[in-house]
Amino acid sequence: MFSFLKPARRLGAAEAVARVRAGEMTLIDIRDGAEIAATGRAAGALHVPLAALRMKCDPASPECLPGLSTEKAVALYCASGARSAMAARMLTAMGYREVYNIGGLHHWQAAGGAVTR
């Protein structure tokens, strides 16, 4: 009960970088388009703004992105980690089994993750 109040699971950015590189994990950038235009995004990350998360990631949605699976690990990031924590709780409620918040894009970069512009 009240699972939406549980804190999102954290994952160190270095582990996320390694798992994304190995193809074991899907990475999602939940920032808006203006933020991505200003700073770039993690290489290989899907862009799903928080406002579109339910439509683009809910397996029951006809607009769910191909390639997303509730069985594959997912890591999310935003600018600071607050929105990605909210998004992680939403994905967990949608049935994703292994969901992590890695914080902000700067965490990804500090761990050696590439950024594309």
Side-chain angles (χ1 to χ4, degrees):
M1 188 169 179
F2 299 113
S3 62
F4 62 91
L5 295 176
K6 288 182 183 177
R9 293 192 298 183
R10 289 293 302 226
L11 180 68
E15 185 176 346
V17 168
R19 290 183 70 185
V20 169
R21 282 185 184 151
E24 300 171 4
M25 176 175 275
T26 300
L27 182 63
I28 301 176
D29 183 329
I30 61 143
R31 298 173 304 147
D32 65 38
E35 289 174 286
I36 290 175
T39 61
R41 73 174 173 202
L46 298 175
H47 177 225
V48 181
L50 183 60
L53 193 76
R54 183 154 310 277
M55 177 178 58
K56 296 292 186 182
C57 296
D58 188 340
S61 169
E63 294 190 38
C64 186
L65 294 172
L68 283 179
S69 169
T70 57
E71 303 300 317
K72 187 174 182 180
V74 176
L76 303 118
Y77 72 90
C78 59
S80 68
R83 288 175 289 173
S84 51
M86 184 184 316
R89 288 189 299 272
M90 291 171 66
L91 288 182
T92 299
M94 288 181 221
Y96 287 79
R97 294 177 188 230
E98 190 179 353
V99 182
Y100 300 98
N101 174 14
I102 63 168
L105 179 62
H106 62 282
H107 293 105
W108 174 264
Q109 288 177 294
V115 173
T116 59
R117 293 187 181 259

